[in-house]
Amino acid sequence: MVRVEARSIGKSYGGVRVLDRVSALFQPGLLTSLLGPSGSGKTTLLRVIGGFVAPDEGEIRFDGENVTSVPLWRRNVGMVFQSYALFPHMTVQQNVVFGLNRRGVRGETARKETARALEMVRLTGFEARRPKELSGGQQQRVALARAIVTNPRVLLLDEPLSALDRRLRQEMQIELRRIQRESGLTTIFVTHDQEEALTLADSVAILDRGKIVQEGPPGVIYERPRTRFAASFLGDANFFTGRVIEGGIATATGVVRTDDRLPAIGANATVAVRPEKMKILDEAAADVAAPYGNRLAAVVSEIVYAGAVSTVLLKSADGSQIKILTQNREARLPAPGESVTLAWSAAHCVLIDA
Ligand code: ADP
Ligand code: MG
């Protein structure tokens, strides 16, 4: 199990800085999601780690060893590309054994290793098929078998599930997780899908314009975003901005309280609140007296019903939009135009860098 480290990696294309001195740590044996919007530099960083692209500056270290100038074929990484890039004229067996042969592994050893990789991805019995005789999910598994057959030091996956439909993608996420656990490979999984990043990963690293802005376990990244970008890219968030006063932040719609340590009185401050942390107070129930730190009057503008949950869009007195997510547990949802009171705890107000 290899510890992968990117140290101050810089990379420009035609004068445009794609990676801006990125530093990141990928823990041994864990799956880290590299999450960021399109164009943020995810693929470039993955290619630099794999040795497909040389950085302009910085170092890649595997277990402390500087591999920056170690060529691709000696770095021994397994990579699955966004398009699976299987050889269409070759069988499954030939596709998987290819990387072994290229490394000079042949005969019985190659056959054994190939069988082991195909078993790992549950494709035993498919050896003689060609890619076009396989479903998208099965082709995906072949690509994965091909990446792990050489016992790589690191497994690099570049949006490997993006071509699959939703159902198959969820199935493959579970499979991928199993394969990663069984193989124990240090894995970097690039995705722009926030839900996928949270579901799959032991750790999430968020990339924004060539910089890692936050890195940590999914629960921490989601619950304690540090910046506006992290808060709104990984999930939804409501923001409240104002001036710090005694006991809270004075905003256009009243005082917002947080358990986080505020800057000095008079300074500007912004907090983020996740939509599911806010609720509509039930005026008839004991709720009204419950000790929520925060309350806010708002008018419902729209309800988006999605079965188990509904998204309720509201407007507060200053005209700003608020989004809440509610489980459809109550007997009725409020109607558009209805005036309600929102409530949420001071613990759910996360102070961020705005
Ligand atoms: P992501 O994978 O996050 O979508 P990429 O790493 O593919 O982002 O690309 C980041 C930026 O670098 C983009 O603006 C892209 O156009 C540019 N870029 C990537 N590879 C090259 C290349 N080989 N030549 C020129 N520009 C490139
Ligand atoms: Mg990409």
Side-chain angles (χ1 to χ4, degrees), residues 72-149:
L72 173 62
W73 55 277
R74 276 189 39 216
R75 210 177 285 198
N76 195 13
V77 297
M79 176 119 179
V80 175
F81 299 91
Q82 195 162 349
S83 54
Y84 319 140
L86 299 177
F87 302 114
H89 56 286
M90 289 188 189
T91 63
V92 167
Q93 172 76 23
Q94 288 164 340
N95 263 283
V96 177
V97 86
F98 182 81
L100 288 172
N101 290 346
R102 219 172 34 173
R103 272 159 222 264
V105 182
R106 288 170 195 285
E108 188 55 22
T109 314
R111 240 189 330 275
K112 269 204 189 118
E113 290 297 309
T114 303
R116 187 187 57 86
L118 286 174
E119 194 192 324
M120 179 85 93
V121 301
R122 309 259 152 96
L123 274 184
T124 306
F126 288 74
E127 290 81 356
R129 298 235 197 147
R130 282 171 212 283
K132 67 171 193 303
E133 299 163 332
L134 300 172
S135 71
Q138 289 166 337
Q139 289 182 37
Q140 206 347 298
R141 287 164 197 260
V142 177
L144 207 53
R146 204 174 51 171
I148 61 177
V149 74

Side-chain angles (χ1 to χ4, degrees), residues 11-14 16-19 35-47 53 82 158-159 190-192 207:
K11 180 74 190 174
S12 296
Y13 283 116
V16 181
R17 212 161 168 76
V18 173
L19 297 178
L35 176 72
S38 175
S40 57
K42 304 183 296 294
T43 295
T44 305
L45 180 56
L46 205 66
R47 285 171 176 269
V53 164
Q82 195 162 349
D158 193 359
E159 312 215 23
V190 162
T191 180
H192 66 270
L207 198 63

Side-chain angles (χ1 to χ4, degrees), residues 4-315:
V4 176
E5 208 182 340
R7 283 195 189 172
S8 222
I9 297 292
K11 180 74 190 174
S12 296
Y13 283 116
V16 181
R17 212 161 168 76
V18 173
L19 297 178
D20 192 8
R21 299 222 170 87
V22 178
S23 292
L25 190 61
F26 303 95
Q27 297 291 353
L30 297 189
L31 191 155
T32 302
S33 290
L34 193 56
L35 176 72
S38 175
S40 57
K42 304 183 296 294
T43 295
T44 305
L45 180 56
L46 205 66
R47 285 171 176 269
V48 167
I49 292 169
F52 298 85
V53 164
D56 300 334
E57 56 183 316
E59 284 177 13
I60 299 297
R61 287 177 175 261
F62 287 1
D63 274 345
E65 174 204 351
N66 186 351
V67 297
T68 321
S69 52
V70 173
L72 173 62
W73 55 277
R74 276 189 39 216
R75 210 177 285 198
N76 195 13
V77 297
M79 176 119 179
V80 175
F81 299 91
Q82 195 162 349
S83 54
Y84 319 140
L86 299 177
F87 302 114
H89 56 286
M90 289 188 189
T91 63
V92 167
Q93 172 76 23
Q94 288 164 340
N95 263 283
V96 177
V97 86
F98 182 81
L100 288 172
N101 290 346
R102 219 172 34 173
R103 272 159 222 264
V105 182
R106 288 170 195 285
E108 188 55 22
T109 314
R111 240 189 330 275
K112 269 204 189 118
E113 290 297 309
T114 303
R116 187 187 57 86
L118 286 174
E119 194 192 324
M120 179 85 93
V121 301
R122 309 259 152 96
L123 274 184
T124 306
F126 288 74
E127 290 81 356
R129 298 235 197 147
R130 282 171 212 283
K132 67 171 193 303
E133 299 163 332
L134 300 172
S135 71
Q138 289 166 337
Q139 289 182 37
Q140 206 347 298
R141 287 164 197 260
V142 177
L144 207 53
R146 204 174 51 171
I148 61 177
V149 74
T150 56
N151 282 312
R153 303 180 76 188
V154 181
L155 182 60
L156 306 174
L157 307 166
D158 193 359
E159 312 215 23
L161 310 182
S162 61
L164 306 178
D165 64 42
R166 194 182 150 82
R167 270 285 285 285
L168 199 50
R169 198 161 73 227
Q170 287 173 342
E171 244 177 76
M172 279 305 294
Q173 285 171 0
I174 296 166
E175 278 290 277
L176 201 61
R177 198 64 255 228
R178 175 187 61 78
I179 291 163
Q180 194 274 329
R181 288 219 173 96
E182 282 178 16
S183 66
L185 286 169
T186 306
T187 302
I188 307 174
F189 181 95
V190 162
T191 180
H192 66 270
D193 180 331
Q194 36 151 310
E195 201 180 306
E196 187 164 89
L198 290 175
T199 312
L200 272 176
D202 299 301
S203 184
V204 178
I206 300 183
L207 198 63
D208 178 24
R209 287 165 295 172
K211 264 190 183 324
I212 303 266
V213 292
Q214 198 171 350
E215 198 177 349
V220 175
I221 296 273
Y222 183 78
E223 301 292 339
R224 311 297 306 170
R226 274 206 298 264
T227 63
R228 187 181 276 261
F229 177 83
S232 43
F233 188 67
L234 193 79
D236 269 316
N238 297 296
F239 298 102
F240 297 94
T241 297
R243 255 173 213 292
V244 177
I245 57 166
E246 190 65 46
I249 303 166
T251 74
T253 50
V255 177
V256 172
R257 292 184 180 78
T258 171
D259 286 351
D260 288 2
R261 235 181 80 135
L262 285 169
I265 286 176
N268 284 320
T270 299
V271 292
V273 187
R274 296 291 188 195
E276 75 280 7
K277 313 294 192 213
M278 301 174 87
K279 69 168 295 182
I280 296 172
L281 277 190
D282 183 352
E283 305 290 346
D287 236 9
V288 178
Y292 294 108
N294 291 291
R295 278 162 202 251
L296 177 65
V299 177
V300 175
S301 43
E302 204 177 316
I303 307 218
V304 184
Y305 178 80
V309 294
S310 290
T311 300
V312 184
L313 302 176
L314 309 102
K315 270 204 162 49

